[in-house]
Amino acid sequence: MSNSAITHNVYVDESGHSGRFPFADTNQPNHICGAVWLPSQHLGAWSERFRDLCSKHNNRMPELKGSRLASSAPGRRLLLEIVGLLIERKISISLVVVQKSWVAAGVIIEDCSDHFYNEKFDHSWTYPTVEKKQTIDWIAANVPHGMATSYLRARRNPDVEALKETATRLFSALALAPGSPRDILRRLAQADFGLISKTVLSGAPDYSSNLTAFVALLNFAQQQAQSLDALCAVVHDRQVEFEPDFQ
């Protein structure tokens, strides 16, 4: 292991969310965050090789989508060559796989503990904390079947009263579970669901609904970087604004 650290670019994206209501799709039960590690000094050569592969297979997609590539023979061949190139160049890949029930619980917490939507919480709940993760874990383990999905659907419905009723039923059911964190649940239930609905329906850029899973991936990437005596720069198409919080 050399004394000088190697700088990597870590390209991160998520998978498992095709369809109108992806959290309700039993054929896609998992949410996956994946990252590809590329040594920064080899980015030019990698980009050139990647463009050559896309040209070879007549691929003009601005962003490669696995589901679309896998649906055609040329796309599958391109995927196999890309994977083969990663193996040949010994490029590292990091993965975090979580059940969607856990991600759905994370969306509920991201909504209802955000100080912008709920004055009962301060800025410390804006970013992932141990308490926040423990609450997500507990909700995912105890939420009645279908309730988390119902909340996700309701938050994208213009009927704010329906969203409030859905949230009330959800938190009331959770309060009856053994060992429930009742104080936190009471505070979560006081979120401004009208403002949540307005933000979601406005089409404005929303914060990441899988922020906690995303951070888990990057924490794992940081540990891997340390084991490789490497430095890590985060690159992502939508979550790049969170980069300072991950470093």
Side-chain angles (χ1 to χ4, degrees):
M1 190 173 293
S2 69
N3 293 327
S4 58
I6 301 171
T7 301
H8 286 72
N9 283 52
V10 182
Y11 295 87
V12 184
D13 209 343
E14 59 274 349
S15 181
H17 291 275
S18 61
R20 185 179 178 189
F21 294 115
F23 283 92
D25 186 355
T26 56
N27 293 317
Q28 297 181 14
N30 297 319
H31 170 87
I32 304 168
C33 280
V36 177
W37 289 59
L38 294 179
S40 299
Q41 67 267 38
H42 298 151
L43 287 182
W46 170 264
S47 297
E48 183 178 354
R49 180 68 176 126
F50 183 76
R51 285 193 294 269
D52 288 344
L53 285 176
C54 288
S55 177
K56 173 183 175 182
H57 295 281
N58 197 30
N59 186 285
R60 296 183 177 85
M61 294 170 58
E63 178 184 357
L64 295 183
K65 295 290 186 181
S67 58
R68 289 179 59 186
L69 290 174
S71 65
S72 69
R76 289 191 291 273
R77 287 194 291 270
L78 175 57
L79 280 175
L80 288 173
E81 288 213 44
I82 291 175
V83 172
L85 185 59
L86 292 174
I87 295 173
E88 175 190 332
R89 302 289 175 86
K90 297 182 179 179
I91 300 298
S92 297
I93 298 175
S94 301
L95 291 174
V96 170
V97 182
V98 294
Q99 291 182 333
K100 286 186 179 176
S101 58
W102 188 86
V103 180
V107 174
I108 294 167
I109 295 299
E110 301 286 0
D111 277 356
C112 300
S113 68
D114 191 317
H115 66 92
F116 182 71
Y117 302 127
N118 193 337
E119 62 181 12
K120 299 298 181 181
F121 290 86
D122 59 26
H123 288 72
S124 67
W125 278 72
T126 302
Y127 303 106
T129 63
V130 172
E131 186 177 20
K132 190 173 182 179
K133 182 181 181 301
Q134 289 175 343
T135 305
I136 294 174
D137 289 343
W138 186 88
I139 289 178
N142 291 275
V143 66
H145 179 71
M147 273 199 173
T149 300
S150 296
Y151 176 85
L152 294 180
R153 292 187 180 185
R155 74 195 287 268
R156 293 190 174 277
N157 190 314
D159 189 345
V160 176
E161 291 304 315
L163 174 59
K164 291 179 181 178
E165 291 176 9
T166 300
T168 298
R169 287 196 302 270
L170 188 150
F171 290 125
S172 296
L174 287 171
L176 298 176
S180 65
R182 294 188 178 182
D183 177 62
I184 292 178
L185 292 175
R186 278 194 297 268
R187 287 190 288 152
L188 292 171
Q190 296 181 58
D192 186 338
F193 294 101
L195 187 54
I196 291 173
S197 177
K198 181 179 178 180
T199 302
V200 174
L201 294 174
S202 69
D206 200 4
Y207 56 77
S208 173
S209 60
N210 57 298
L211 186 56
T212 304
F214 191 74
V215 170
L217 169 66
L218 292 176
N219 286 340
F220 177 75
Q222 183 179 24
Q223 293 171 10
Q224 186 171 10
Q226 292 171 347
S227 69
L228 295 173
D229 189 24
L231 300 176
C232 178
V234 178
V235 179
H236 192 270
D237 56 348
R238 292 195 179 96
Q239 278 111 340
V240 69
E241 66 268 27
F242 294 112
E243 181 177 345
D245 302 305
F246 296 143
Q247 293 180 336

